[in-house]
Amino acid sequence: MSDPPLLALRGVSKRFGAVHALDDVELEIHTGEVVALLGDNGAGKSTLVKVIAGVDPADRGVMEWDGRAVQVKRPHDAQALGIATVYQDLALCENLDVVGNVFLGREVRRVGILDEVEMERRTLGLLAALSIRVPDVRLPVATLSGGQRQTVAISRSLLGEPRLLLLDEPTASLGVEQTAQVLDLVERLRDRGLGVLLISHNMGDVKAVADHAAVLRLGRNNGFFDVTTTSQEQIISSITGATSHARRPPRTGEAGP
Amino acid sequence: MTGRASTAPGRRVKRALGQAWERLSQGESGSLPVVLGLVLLWAVFQGLNGNFFSPRNLSNLSVDIVGTGLIAVGIVFVLLIGEIDLSVGSVSALAAAVFAVLNVNEGLPEWLALVIAVLAGALIGALHGFFFARFGVPAFVVTLAGLLAWNGLTLYLLGQSGTINLDDQGLVAKLTSYYFHDIAAAYGLAALGAAVFFLAACRDRRRRKAAAMPYRPLREIAVRTGLIAAVAFAAAYVLNQFQGLPLALLIFVVLVAALDVLLRRTPYGRRVYALGGGVEAARRAGVRVAWVRVSVLTVSGTMAALGGLFLASRITSVGQPSTSGILVLNAIAAAVIGGTSLFGGHGRTWCAVLGMLVIQSISSGMALLSIQSALQFMITGGVLLAAVVLDSVSRRSQKSRGRA
Ligand SMILES: Nc1ncnc2c1ncn2[C@@H]1O[C@H](COP(=O)(O)OP(=O)(O)O)[C@@H](O)[C@H]1O
Ligand SMILES: [Mg+2]
């Protein structure tokens, strides 16, 4: 491949005390590609997302953006590159309304004063474009249901034209219809040329939208698969550890064991 | 942003009522309970002693709330980020002592001593904020240490003299003794307040209408403006029956209004609220959490110093900080009674005003009835408990609804 990947992680490691949450992890995401990140509970998926998003930077390792090494030490650094994140937990401020949450950290202002009208208008536009229904964008998110919050978190991440979207179990708290909507959205974003990293426990979701699947096991790479040519059983067995794959799967030798 | 437009009037009223009830049951009751409580309190005191509503008593009340009220405004900031500042009583005493020593003992001009005293409060607040934000020591522990340390420093500063009397014609004395006798002052302030509210609401309405978004009907804006104007002009009328608009009240109202705009209308304020609603979420959104924390405790220290100067002005002397313990409790109680949440993220600067009105009304009403202060403390304690229970219940109901 001649184009450098949108995002590449090389030898990323992170420890929490004695726990090796991430150990020498490699990952590549190209534009217009959905990569599913799979792994058992505690495999390090959320930790990896937080490393990329600059929330909890790695201890070691290199992060490349468009082929250039970059430093992402703060959430702001990641946002500036065009990385948007939907976290598994603690994503929203309970007391702020939907508009406040969507624009938190990126408030629109006129002569130093918040431009509430403009922010509300753009929030409504964003929600409409994603066909998301929220009872009232001026209600505090504490009053919204789990699914509604998730949709708010997703629309929040799409503000400001990101190039890479990290979704940490975005459908976990959603119903059937909303899940389908989110997956639809993921496909549309991919077609628009975004790179997407999708964490999910649902193999159906992965099969439906992902191009590639990267498996983490106990903080290490445990396989990188082409979803269209790999059987579900194969992927599951590398998640559970029934099969062990090369620790650093070269991108060209994707097709499994 | 309640009351969306363009339905038949009857339905509109029903809808507005429904939304008000919705907000109440969702834990967005805000200041409604305290306003009702205040009205009830006033009715009871006026019933028991006809002097409660005398212009003299109300005018004095409006000046008495300012010192502690300014401190309570700082407490509102700290409560909004879900923390507490226990040092405000000591800091206010220290600021007054700094002013007295510099002006009276060292002969510095009053304005310079005043500026230095307020800056000292700001610096102390920033120091608390630094230890809180940088080392992750809980704010209540840092400020508890501050409470003791600044108390000690005040004792040291006042050392030889014990009590320092201020110039009773001086600048600081004037803070609470000066009145604008011209009746135009009080009425002018009332008119200005109502006009600013009306114009801001109209401007918001026009922009929303232009953007084809739901907007408040003109009638609703008129009713709200009318309500504000009625309260403001009634207050102005009463004040003019006595000595006119007190300078202290003018400063208090202007500061509270300005800080309300800062909190609710600027990106900075939005981040203060965000911290109270989820520190981690705010951090992930790119909010510089440490910086906001330091700034909030700086505001609290500054307001404490200002409040201390107003309290000293009221008695034109600076003495041993023996009363700073009850002062910090009163300031916190005022913020909470006024409707600021102890759990962070909910409240406005006006809460400090409402809460102080309640506390000072109890104290003034009890004094008129010659009831002992023992009972007064117990009643204030009961009111505080009621406010906290209301706060907890509404937060809980909001949570359970959200998760449903
Ligand atoms: N902040 C933290 N402090 C300590 N340990 C953590 C922290 N975050 C994650 N871990 C540990 O790191 C490992 C990976 O966790 P996580 O990334 O949340 O897994 P996943 O999202 O794949 O379920 C787990 O063993 C977890 O206990
Ligand atoms: Mg996880």
Side-chain angles (χ1 to χ4, degrees):
Chain A
M1 293 193 194
S2 51
D3 262 6
L6 179 62
L7 175 84
L9 301 180
R10 314 249 181 248
V12 165
S13 300
K14 180 154 188 78
R15 299 173 60 144
F16 292 108
V19 181
H20 277 273
L22 295 175
D23 193 357
D24 227 355
V25 170
E26 310 274 314
L27 183 73
E28 288 187 358
I29 304 168
H30 290 255
T31 51
E33 177 187 56
V34 178
V35 175
L37 184 61
L38 305 171
D40 223 336
N41 279 330
K45 306 181 297 293
S46 295
T47 306
L48 190 65
V49 164
K50 288 178 198 162
V51 164
I52 302 172
V55 167
D56 258 330
D59 303 332
R60 281 195 295 116
V62 178
M63 190 164 150
E64 287 172 15
W65 185 255
D66 284 334
R68 284 179 302 107
V70 286
Q71 297 282 328
V72 175
K73 296 281 169 225
R74 296 183 304 151
H76 185 82
D77 300 336
Q79 283 169 14
L81 288 174
I83 299 175
T85 315
V86 177
Y87 298 96
Q88 187 173 9
D89 57 355
L90 304 176
L92 302 172
C93 291
E94 299 279 312
N95 59 331
L96 298 186
D97 60 22
V98 175
V99 178
N101 267 293
V102 166
F103 279 89
L104 182 60
R106 294 170 288 185
E107 296 85 0
V108 180
R109 58 189 86 182
R110 302 167 94 208
V111 285
I113 299 291
L114 291 172
D115 190 345
E116 294 285 358
V117 177
E118 177 63 13
M119 289 195 282
E120 185 171 333
R121 196 181 62 77
R122 277 163 62 179
T123 302
L124 290 170
L126 204 55
L127 294 178
L130 306 178
S131 39
I132 289 172
R133 281 187 304 276
V134 170
D136 182 348
V137 291
R138 286 303 179 182
L139 280 181
V141 295
T143 61
L144 301 182
S145 70
Q148 286 168 334
R149 283 171 203 227
Q150 193 63 295
T151 57
V152 171
I154 292 174
S155 36
R156 170 186 158 69
S157 71
L158 293 177
L159 190 73
E161 308 276 311
R163 294 182 58 206
L164 173 66
L165 185 60
L166 312 173
L167 298 166
D168 194 350
E169 307 203 16
T171 57
S173 59
L174 300 187
V176 178
E177 188 199 352
Q178 274 177 321
T179 299
Q181 267 175 23
V182 169
L183 295 181
D184 253 15
L185 175 66
V186 167
E187 290 197 311
R188 267 186 283 148
L189 293 173
R190 182 220 355 242
D191 297 343
R192 265 205 255 157
L194 272 78
V196 180
L197 184 70
L198 174 71
I199 298 180
S200 177
H201 274 299
N202 186 326
M203 285 307 288
D205 294 0
V206 173
K207 277 273 174 198
V209 294
D211 304 298
H212 290 98
V215 176
L216 282 185
R217 180 164 167 72
L218 303 175
R220 293 163 182 243
N221 287 105
N222 200 33
F224 191 85
F225 306 97
D226 186 326
V227 172
T228 48
T229 60
T230 315
S231 75
Q232 200 157 316
E233 289 69 30
Q234 239 175 330
I235 298 179
I236 289 175
S237 73
S238 75
I239 292 173
T240 57
T243 33
S244 189
H245 297 272
R247 269 188 51 214
R248 294 182 179 213
R251 187 151 175 115
T252 38
E254 287 166 340
Chain B
M1 312 285 154
T2 40
R4 292 293 153 83
S6 56
T7 37
R11 242 190 297 156
R12 204 188 289 154
V13 169
K14 228 167 127 188
R15 204 151 137 231
L17 279 178
Q19 273 170 342
W21 172 247
E22 183 94 327
R23 300 237 150 175
L24 254 176
S25 54
Q26 277 166 354
E28 292 298 296
S29 56
S31 294
L32 191 61
V34 60
V35 170
L36 292 180
L38 196 57
V39 169
L40 187 74
L41 205 60
W42 284 353
V44 169
F45 281 133
Q46 179 65 13
L48 292 175
N49 182 323
N51 282 330
F52 185 82
F53 270 146
S54 71
R56 163 187 283 277
N57 192 46
L58 290 182
S59 178
N60 283 336
L61 194 118
S62 78
V63 177
D64 282 333
I65 62 171
V66 175
T68 314
L70 287 169
I71 302 174
V73 170
I75 292 287
V76 169
F77 272 71
V78 184
L79 285 175
L80 279 179
I81 64 166
E83 299 290 336
I84 192 92
D85 185 344
L86 296 177
S87 72
V88 287
S90 298
V91 174
S92 71
L94 178 62
V98 165
F99 171 81
V101 167
L102 289 180
N103 174 236
V104 180
N105 294 4
E106 305 296 326
L108 245 62
E110 273 202 298
W111 68 267
L112 186 58
L114 190 142
V115 168
I116 292 175
V118 173
L119 283 182
L123 200 69
I124 288 171
L127 192 70
H128 292 157
F130 173 76
F131 278 98
F132 163 46
R134 180 73 178 74
F135 299 108
V137 192
F140 91 91
V141 182
V142 176
T143 55
L144 183 61
L147 182 154
L148 296 170
W150 308 123
N151 226 338
L153 185 58
T154 310
L155 289 173
Y156 173 79
L157 280 181
L158 294 175
Q160 307 92 338
S161 37
T163 301
I164 301 176
N165 289 316
L166 304 178
D167 172 9
D168 58 10
Q169 293 304 313
L171 180 70
V172 165
K174 288 244 165 63
L175 284 179
T176 55
S177 67
Y178 186 83
Y179 290 79
F180 297 94
H181 296 302
D182 190 340
I183 60 165
Y187 288 131
L189 182 65
L192 185 71
V196 166
F197 176 85
F198 181 73
L199 292 177
C202 282
R203 194 171 148 277
D204 186 60
R205 176 178 180 274
R206 206 175 50 238
R207 290 199 60 214
R208 294 180 147 271
K209 202 171 169 180
M213 290 199 311
Y215 55 88
R216 263 184 201 162
L218 211 49
R219 192 179 315 166
E220 193 189 321
I221 295 177
V223 168
R224 281 164 181 260
T225 308
L227 225 68
I228 287 175
V231 171
F233 275 96
Y237 174 78
V238 172
L239 291 173
N240 281 335
Q241 294 298 302
F242 188 57
Q243 301 245 29
L245 176 66
L247 174 65
L249 186 63
L250 175 69
I251 295 175
F252 188 37
V253 168
V254 167
L255 266 176
V256 166
L259 291 176
D260 187 54
V261 170
L262 176 72
L263 276 179
R264 289 159 36 85
R265 298 276 173 251
T266 68
Y268 168 74
R270 181 58 47 85
R271 287 150 199 211
V272 171
Y273 279 98
L275 248 58
V279 175
E280 187 55 25
R283 192 169 77 89
R284 290 176 186 179
V287 173
R288 302 218 307 266
V289 172
W291 189 85
V292 175
R293 285 177 162 168
V294 172
S295 73
V296 162
L297 280 164
T298 306
V299 169
S300 167
T302 311
M303 296 309 286
L306 266 179
L309 291 170
F310 276 83
L311 289 170
S313 160
R314 199 74 173 127
I315 53 174
T316 57
S317 79
V318 175
Q320 306 290 347
S322 54
T323 52
S324 59
I326 195 75
L327 182 57
V328 59
L329 295 183
N330 266 341
I332 294 172
V336 174
I337 291 172
T340 312
S341 173
L342 280 170
F343 306 103
H346 296 266
R348 298 179 61 170
T349 53
W350 294 104
C351 294
V353 182
L354 285 171
M356 269 319 290
L357 277 176
V358 170
I359 291 180
Q360 203 60 48
S361 297
I362 293 175
S363 143
S364 149
M366 296 277 182
L368 282 178
L369 297 170
S370 339
I371 295 173
Q372 295 162 348
S373 59
L375 190 57
Q376 189 183 314
F377 283 135
M378 291 168 72
I379 292 185
T380 310
V383 172
L384 177 60
L385 184 67
V388 172
V389 167
L390 194 70
D391 180 25
S392 307
V393 169
S394 62
R395 290 304 139 236
R396 184 133 31 92
S397 82
Q398 189 172 56
K399 282 241 154 59
S400 65
R401 270 174 150 253
R403 302 273 146 73

